[in-house]
Amino acid sequence: MINETRLLDTFLALVRIDSPSGEEAAIAQELEARLHKLGLTVELDAMHNLVARLPGQGTPFLLAAHMDTVMPGRGIKPVVEDGVVRSDGTTILGADDKAGLSVILEVLQSLVEDQPPHPPLEVVVTVQEERGLLGAKALDISRLQAKMGVSLDSGGPAGAIVVSAPSADLISAVMHGKAAHAGANPELGINAIVAAADAIHNMRLGRLDEETTANIGIIQGGTARNIVPDRVTLAGEARSRQLAKLEAQTASMVEALQAAARQHKTTVDVEVKRSYTGYAFTEKTAIVSHLMAACRAAGVEPRLVPTGGGSDANIFNTHGLQVVNTSMGAAGEHTTEECVALSDMATCANVVMHCVRSLIS
Ligand SMILES: [Zn+2]
């Protein structure tokens, strides 16, 4: 049975271990020790991605989460009040995704204790999810035996099932200009900042429709007030749950850069990289229907939701697995207001427990 007190203790212990993306050694060691103690075999790769296995009967099932957290996330001091855990206000809480980790650990502990029939479980805990799914991208997914599973990395109360996620492109550009003295002979220069500004001005950015977004997030350039700048770098992105829309948006951003370069008689270097590929499931998809049934068995009405964000589930699905992201209970992720109610985490754990146990027919 899911034990709320133990679940809370696990959560408090995990959030007290600093784990900003790229600094996961300590949390990986803690998770390895806990999983090992529960009788799982544990493997860590060079990046500290963790794969653990609990034997069972039938077809293997995947439980996934990530161990890194965003900033400000050092020295987190969790405060529990009226069944809700928050930070002390100076940091994030780290429920994203330590609530997911705690749910998985509680489900495993409960299975090991009560010994009900269950499928073999493969637990994957990645690093550097928050840096662009870098851990999942580096993980040797061909080693996984599970073909289906859940990732506990969506916010909101229990019952959320993320059935579609976008594809995303990363767009990087260097707008070249020509340096000149801004007071003595500006006509000899080409202002790369002005060219970049024209390019951005001609881009459609922000929310473009309910499934497509675009952003320029970084612009850097210029060296001095009195020098016509000869170089500006830009970094942006586009996302859509429709691949054709993503490709059109990315192409239009590239064209805006090239048109501005032509207009200013200069050049631009543009690099486009597909960051991850989206997925779209329906309630008929096997994992979705299993999870919906599990929600109802746990007394929660399932909510099928789309997301505008990528997660490790995108990477698993790209490799041919069928993985949906589902809630771990947190709210206000990536802010100092982040919090999680113990009762939500416990319900999420019950959903996962029902899902796992229903896979034994
Ligand atoms: Zn997360």
Side-chain angles (χ1 to χ4, degrees):
M1 256 180 43
I2 299 302
N3 178 329
E4 285 202 14
T5 312
R6 185 171 61 194
L7 176 55
L8 177 63
D9 287 346
T10 302
F11 179 70
L12 295 177
L14 295 183
V15 299
R16 286 186 178 117
I17 300 171
D18 289 356
S19 59
S21 304
E23 297 176 34
E24 292 97 346
I27 188 79
Q29 216 168 44
E30 173 71 19
L31 293 170
E32 182 182 27
R34 284 174 179 259
L35 291 162
H36 201 76
K37 206 168 144 205
L38 287 172
L40 282 82
T41 56
V42 186
E43 293 166 33
L44 284 170
D45 70 13
M47 280 181 90
H48 295 110
N49 284 309
L50 180 156
V51 177
R53 294 186 174 89
L54 181 69
Q57 316 163 18
T59 314
F61 189 73
L62 179 81
L63 298 175
H66 64 89
M67 65 178 96
D68 62 313
T69 51
V70 295
M71 296 301 274
R74 293 183 204 275
I76 294 169
K77 291 179 196 69
V79 179
V80 191
E81 210 180 82
D82 299 330
V84 178
V85 193
R86 304 171 195 280
S87 74
D88 64 1
T90 62
T91 65
I92 55 149
L93 175 61
D96 175 10
D97 191 20
K98 286 171 179 169
L101 292 178
S102 306
V103 164
I104 292 174
L105 286 169
E106 182 56 35
V107 167
L108 294 171
Q109 181 115 38
S110 164
L111 288 173
V112 167
E113 247 171 32
D114 302 345
Q115 300 285 327
H118 63 81
L121 293 175
E122 251 175 347
V123 178
V124 174
V125 187
T126 61
V127 297
Q128 301 196 37
E129 192 271 351
E130 304 286 8
R131 276 198 185 156
L133 322 179
L134 296 186
K137 285 176 182 174
L139 181 71
D140 182 2
I141 292 179
S142 67
R143 286 188 324 169
L144 301 181
Q145 285 145 21
K147 294 281 169 249
M148 187 190 279
V150 291
S151 169
L152 277 295
D153 188 22
S154 175
I161 304 173
V162 179
V163 287
S164 67
S167 301
D169 283 343
L170 308 179
I171 299 146
S172 310
V174 180
M175 183 67 78
H176 297 286
K178 199 170 157 211
H181 191 291
N185 38 25
E187 50 282 292
L188 297 182
I190 297 175
N191 191 317
I193 290 179
V194 174
D198 279 344
I200 295 169
H201 179 72
N202 287 320
M203 288 179 191
R204 291 173 65 228
L205 298 174
R207 172 164 301 286
L208 304 178
D209 61 43
E210 48 110 29
E211 56 191 358
T212 312
T213 59
N215 187 49
I216 294 291
I218 303 175
I219 175 162
Q220 287 168 324
T223 53
R225 189 192 300 271
N226 61 353
I227 300 175
V228 176
D230 68 346
R231 184 186 162 94
V232 168
T233 61
L234 301 106
E237 58 153 49
R239 307 180 186 206
S240 182
R241 292 193 291 273
Q242 291 287 340
L243 203 53
K245 286 183 182 175
L246 172 65
E247 283 167 358
Q249 173 59 23
T250 299
S252 77
M253 291 169 79
V254 172
E255 173 51 25
L257 288 158
Q258 287 166 344
R262 282 195 300 272
Q263 187 195 331
H264 289 270
K265 299 190 168 44
T266 182
T267 57
V268 62
D269 301 325
V270 188
E271 191 190 53
V272 173
K273 237 170 74 185
R274 176 68 37 88
S275 179
Y276 49 80
T277 305
Y279 64 89
F281 295 150
T282 70
E283 56 191 62
K284 293 200 176 73
T285 310
I287 183 60
V288 178
S289 67
H290 281 308
L291 203 50
M292 287 174 75
C295 287
R296 293 196 173 109
V300 184
E301 196 44 35
R303 306 184 306 280
L304 305 193
V305 294
T307 180
S311 73
D312 286 348
N314 288 64
I315 305 300
F316 293 125
N317 291 324
T318 302
H319 283 81
L321 280 75
Q322 205 179 73
V323 177
V324 282
N325 215 344
T326 189
S327 31
M328 40 62 180
E333 303 98 298
H334 295 202
T335 74
T336 54
E337 320 278 288
E338 185 183 16
C339 63
V340 64
L342 176 57
S343 60
D344 280 332
M345 263 198 294
T347 310
C348 294
N350 270 312
V351 168
V352 175
M353 184 60 103
H354 278 287
C355 184
V356 164
R357 294 194 52 185
S358 74
L359 291 165
I360 288 289
S361 41

